[in-house]
């Protein structure tokens, strides 16, 4: 219990410091945000007005507390670049796209990696195993934006199976939505898929040497049954840990792939804003992503403890 | 028993060929990249000098453009080599900087403990609370996109990993007899850290650096691809690949494939060698 309270306190401290760092981005910005809002050749009185409107005439710490207070209530300010939308509003519009892509990617990665790892581990040292090993190592060396371009070249360009640079919201019908999301989701999934396969395969080969597997086999269970019901669960702990680590990479890949496919997600939003020097939008998006990331990792940490009784006992 | 023996034999023999290939590629690439300004290559960056060159021509050694040209008639082979110059220089400098800063902080935190450890630990957690690419994008928003700033941002990315690794190793070694002996003989904290702990922490940190190089090469390429890194026409692999957007990709795939193959082979080679280095030297997996 005390441990949980401590972890919670640490979580809060980290989030507080992250928000401070995100806020301080604006002070590190070259140039003057007020000038950016006004454009060149503005009258001097309008300049003062905009400065006080943006709160730039007050001390930095006061500005920060103000910003934090509104951020907590869901007001992340307005973007500097016209049209000056509410940042929170744009984030809310973009969020479902990114979440859907990341979730689909994760599902694809797991759906392919688990059977592939089992198949590979079952034939340990054989031709299939070596081919899978080499393949996953190769895939790990292809950055998502390159993989995405190659997939576009083959499946959207050459074969014409998928649209590119378009997005269909769920409201446009599930089939259309999935059709638009599949290729980008696959791109995001590739690297995770390779990583999951490698880790699970290695753990499975270790598990498969254990006595209870031998006992199962001796009792005449089929290889598939042994793999699925006896070997998978004890081999899956590294995978769950890896899931936590892969969330960060998943977010990065999603950002790049959204930009590549011109999809209206948080990634496109933040990259577009970064290219225009639109600091409030970047701040809002980074803060939202960081909060999500920290909470996701905390949740995975908890589920890890729930999964493995040994950890639960030794640490609490 | 015999099965594991043959396993081990094949396991050590087979990747060796790949490792040799990887090493050769990296050495050749590094030499060519270092010598790029001296080589008789066609124009790679100055648009006014490529006015007469064919645009978007395919790979053709006979034309003098070994791997073809881009939309402005700039030579892709020359651009790929100059891109290698900035990619490799930035990644190496960033990793070195990250290893020095992160390693030093990790040793300090691990040896001194208490407040120093807490402060360093919290700072590390704060850096890790933002996904790597998002941190890069946030920094790129406010920093001038030049080689120095990209290097600094990438170095910052490696610091948490280095801190954790150095801290874990320091804490393990700080309990060992030779450290206790040095302290008993009255060695100062500075001397213990630099003479006793540093040499032992160095090897795992270096092998981690090897692993991180490929991560940084990809990160730099991603940043350039997003238009937030080194700005064109100065070439990097990332912004060269970004030139292949839209129609260009379908009609002239070599514009993407040339820098893509360079990037892939380099990342692949660093991955292979990094894996080997980690397997050989990193006895404890203190970091990821």
């Amino acid at each position: 219990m005390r441990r949980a309270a401590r972890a919670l306190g640490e979580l809060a401290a980290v989030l507080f410091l992250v928000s401070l760092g995100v806020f301080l981005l604006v002070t590190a910005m070259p140039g003057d945000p007020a000038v950016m809002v006004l454009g060149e050749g503005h009258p001097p009185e309008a300049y003062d007005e905009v400065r006080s409107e943006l709160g730039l005439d007050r001390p930095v710490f006061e500005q920060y507390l103000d910003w934090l207070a509104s951020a907590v209530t869901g007001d992340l300010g307005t973007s500097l670049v016209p049209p000056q939308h509410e940042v929170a509003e744009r984030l809310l519009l973009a969020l479902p796209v990114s979440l859907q892509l990341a979730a689909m990617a994760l599902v694809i990665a797991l759906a392919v990696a688990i059977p592939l790892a089992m198949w590979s581990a079952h034939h340990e040292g054989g031709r299939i195993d070596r081919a899978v090993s080499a393949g996953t190592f190769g895939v790990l060396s292809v950055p998502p934006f390159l993989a995405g371009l190659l997939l576009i070249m083959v499946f959207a360009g050459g074969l014409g199976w998928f649209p590119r640079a378009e997005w269909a919201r769920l409201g446009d019908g599930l089939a259309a939505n999935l059709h638009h999301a599949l290729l980008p989701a696959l791109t995001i999934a590739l690297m995770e898929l390779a990583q999951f396969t490698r880790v699970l395969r290695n753990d499975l080969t270790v598990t498969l040497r254990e006595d209870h597997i031998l006992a199962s086999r001796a009792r005449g269970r089929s290889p598939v049954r042994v793999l699925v019901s006896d070997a998978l669960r004890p081999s899956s702990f590294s995978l769950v840990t890896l899931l936590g680590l892969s969330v960060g990479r998943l977010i990065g890949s999603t950002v790049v792939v959204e930009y590549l496919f011109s999809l209206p997600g948080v990634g496109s939003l933040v990259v577009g804003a970064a290219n225009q020097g639109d600091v409030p939008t970047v701040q809002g998006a980074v803060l939202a992503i960081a909060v999500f990331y920290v909470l996701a990792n905390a949740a995975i940490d908890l589920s890890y403890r729930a999964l493995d009784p040994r950890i639960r006992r030794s640490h609490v | 028993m015999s099965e594991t023996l043959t396993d081990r034999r094949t396991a050590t023999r087979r990747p060796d060929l790949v490792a040799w290939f990887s090493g050769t590629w990296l050495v050749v690439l590094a030499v060519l990249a270092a010598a790029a300004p001296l080589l008789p290559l066609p124009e790679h960056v100055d648009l006014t000098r490529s006015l007469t060159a064919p645009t978007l021509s395919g790979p053709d050694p006979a034309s003098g453009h070994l791997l073809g040209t881009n939309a402005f008639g700039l030579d892709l082979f020359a651009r790929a080599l100059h891109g290698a110059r900035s990619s490799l220089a930035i990644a190496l400098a960033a990793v070195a900087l990250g290893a020095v800063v992160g390693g030093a902080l990790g040793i300090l935190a691990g040896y001194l403990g208490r407040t120093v450890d807490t402060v360093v630990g919290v700072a590390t957690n704060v850096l890790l609370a933002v996904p790597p690419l998002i941190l890069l994008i946030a920094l790129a928003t406010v920093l001038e996109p030049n080689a120095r700033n990209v290097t600094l941002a990438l170095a910052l990315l490696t610091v948490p990993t280095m801190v954790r690794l150095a801290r874990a190793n320091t804490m393990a070694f700080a309990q060992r007899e030779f450290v206790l002996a040095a302290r008993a003989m009255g060695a100062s904290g500075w001397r213990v850290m630099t003479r006793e702990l540093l040499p032992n922490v160095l090897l795992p940190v270096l092998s981690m650096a090897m692993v991180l190089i490929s991560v940084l090469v990809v990160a730099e390429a991603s940043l350039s691809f997003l238009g937030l890194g080194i700005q064109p026409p100065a070439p990097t692999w990332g912004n060269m690949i970004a030139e292949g957007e839209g129609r260009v990709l379908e009609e002239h795939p070599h514009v993407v494939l040339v820098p893509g193959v360079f990037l892939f082979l380099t990342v692949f080679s660093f991955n292979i060698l990094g894996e080997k280095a980690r397997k050989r030297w990193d006895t404890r997996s203190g970091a990821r």
Side-chain angles (χ1 to χ4, degrees):
Chain A
M1 209 55 223
R2 265 182 68 187
R3 199 186 147 80
R6 214 194 119 146
L8 216 66
E10 239 177 69
L11 206 71
V14 164
L15 282 178
F16 174 77
L17 288 171
V18 167
S19 75
L20 184 61
V22 167
F23 174 77
L24 288 177
L25 272 182
V26 78
T27 57
M29 189 172 123
D32 190 335
V35 176
M36 249 185 104
V37 171
L38 286 164
E40 295 299 323
H42 49 81
E45 54 273 23
Y47 176 77
D48 284 340
E49 200 174 295
V50 168
R51 266 186 80 81
S52 68
E53 206 175 285
L54 292 172
L56 295 170
D57 49 355
R58 290 179 300 143
V60 173
F61 195 68
E62 208 174 293
Q63 285 183 47
Y64 167 67
L65 287 182
D66 219 40
W67 177 80
L68 187 65
S70 16
V72 168
T73 56
D75 175 13
L76 293 166
T78 52
S79 69
L80 287 181
V81 182
Q84 294 169 357
H85 289 295
E86 295 259 327
V87 172
E89 204 173 290
R90 291 180 74 189
L91 268 177
L92 278 182
L93 265 178
L95 209 58
V97 178
S98 304
L99 286 177
Q100 186 195 347
L101 283 174
M104 277 179 72
L106 205 56
V107 170
I108 293 174
L110 287 172
V112 179
I114 293 175
L116 197 62
M118 287 191 195
W119 195 35
S120 189
H122 183 63
H123 297 281
E124 192 192 346
R127 196 173 295 166
I128 291 164
D129 188 28
R130 276 179 285 159
V132 169
S133 270
T136 50
F137 211 95
V139 168
L140 280 180
S141 306
V142 185
F145 59 93
L146 187 56
L149 280 168
L150 296 178
L151 286 177
I152 287 176
M153 201 152 73
V154 176
F155 290 107
L159 296 171
W161 289 356
F162 294 100
R164 60 167 300 190
E166 278 172 38
W167 182 252
R169 294 200 171 265
L170 260 174
D172 305 336
L174 185 64
N177 171 264
L178 288 181
H179 188 216
H180 283 78
L182 196 59
L183 203 55
L186 190 66
T187 312
I188 302 168
L190 273 179
M191 200 168 262
E192 306 313 316
L193 191 164
Q195 195 84 42
F196 292 166
T197 307
R198 286 175 71 78
V199 168
L200 186 58
R201 179 239 168 238
N202 287 345
D203 282 6
L204 274 171
T205 56
V206 174
T207 310
L208 285 177
R209 293 211 180 91
E210 279 175 18
D211 291 343
H212 69 274
I213 299 293
L214 191 65
S216 264
R217 282 198 181 131
R219 255 180 264 129
R221 283 193 161 185
S222 72
V224 174
R225 183 115 187 255
V226 168
L227 280 167
V228 175
S229 50
D230 298 330
L232 187 58
R233 200 184 125 101
S235 309
S236 60
F237 295 123
S238 306
L239 193 66
V240 176
T241 324
L242 192 68
L243 223 54
L245 297 181
S246 77
V247 172
R249 206 176 32 213
L250 202 64
I251 293 173
S253 307
T254 308
V255 167
V256 172
V257 168
E258 279 174 12
Y259 173 82
L260 169 63
F261 283 81
S262 314
L263 305 178
V266 180
S268 297
L269 184 69
V270 76
V271 174
N275 268 314
Q276 292 171 314
D278 180 1
V279 177
T281 306
V282 174
Q283 282 180 323
V286 171
L287 189 66
I289 292 171
V291 170
F292 171 79
Y293 183 51
V294 169
L295 293 182
N297 268 320
I300 288 167
D301 212 36
L302 283 178
S303 75
Y304 188 51
R305 268 175 219 184
L307 259 180
D308 191 345
R310 283 168 300 182
I311 294 184
R312 206 160 46 211
R313 277 193 217 109
S314 62
H315 282 272
V316 177
Chain B
M1 196 61 210
S2 68
E3 188 188 303
T4 50
L5 272 180
T6 47
D7 271 3
R8 189 170 302 158
R9 203 181 309 145
T10 49
T12 48
R13 201 199 302 150
R14 276 194 68 263
D16 261 354
L17 232 150
V18 182
W20 272 106
F21 168 80
S22 303
T24 313
W25 165 261
L26 289 179
V27 169
V28 170
L29 184 72
V31 169
L32 284 178
L38 306 172
L39 299 174
L41 292 166
E43 184 52 40
H44 74 281
V45 63
D46 190 350
L47 299 178
T48 58
R49 292 214 219 143
S50 67
L51 291 174
T52 56
T55 59
L56 289 169
S57 71
D60 177 17
S63 71
H65 295 292
L66 189 61
L67 297 176
T69 58
N70 75 355
F72 306 105
L74 297 170
D75 183 73
L76 284 181
F77 183 58
R79 282 175 72 75
L81 288 188
H82 281 273
R85 263 172 91 80
S86 46
S87 283
L88 294 180
I90 287 174
L92 288 173
V95 144
L97 193 61
V100 169
V101 174
L105 286 176
I107 293 177
L108 279 174
Y111 185 67
L112 298 178
R114 295 168 194 269
T115 322
V116 181
D117 194 22
T118 313
V119 171
V120 171
V122 168
T124 315
N125 282 341
V126 170
L127 278 180
L128 287 173
V130 185
L133 191 67
I134 303 298
L135 184 62
L136 276 183
I137 291 175
L139 290 172
T141 310
V142 293
L143 296 176
E144 192 81 13
N146 55 34
R148 191 199 62 182
N149 286 343
V150 173
T151 308
L152 288 178
L154 289 175
L156 192 64
L157 226 55
T158 66
V159 166
T161 313
M162 291 299 188
V163 166
R164 290 193 163 182
L165 185 68
R167 177 177 173 275
N169 277 284
T170 302
M171 286 170 73
F173 282 111
Q175 305 301 322
R176 298 272 289 271
E177 289 82 357
F178 64 92
V179 174
L180 295 180
R183 288 176 64 182
M185 281 189 282
S188 65
W190 171 255
R191 195 187 154 92
V192 170
M193 282 189 273
T194 52
R195 292 290 181 84
E196 312 294 341
L197 292 171
L198 180 63
N200 288 297
V201 175
L202 204 59
L203 215 50
V205 164
L206 283 182
S207 71
M208 180 51 79
M210 196 67 203
V211 174
L212 284 178
I213 289 177
S214 80
V215 176
L216 291 192
V217 169
V218 170
E220 186 273 325
S222 305
L223 206 58
S224 304
F225 176 77
L226 297 175
L228 296 167
I230 307 283
Q231 299 294 307
T236 70
W237 294 333
N239 70 30
M240 285 174 75
I241 290 171
E243 284 174 17
E245 281 199 280
R247 290 279 109 195
V248 180
L249 175 68
E250 275 133 52
E251 284 150 25
H252 309 281
H254 73 281
V255 171
V256 169
L257 291 179
V258 169
V261 168
F262 270 84
L263 178 61
F264 169 75
L265 286 178
T266 307
V267 173
F268 181 81
S269 302
F270 276 124
N271 277 345
I272 291 276
L273 297 181
E275 189 93 331
K276 269 188 103 68
R278 181 150 67 168
K279 264 187 195 149
R280 184 166 299 178
W281 290 315
D282 187 13
T283 42
R284 34 180 310 130
S285 44
R288 11 184 171 153

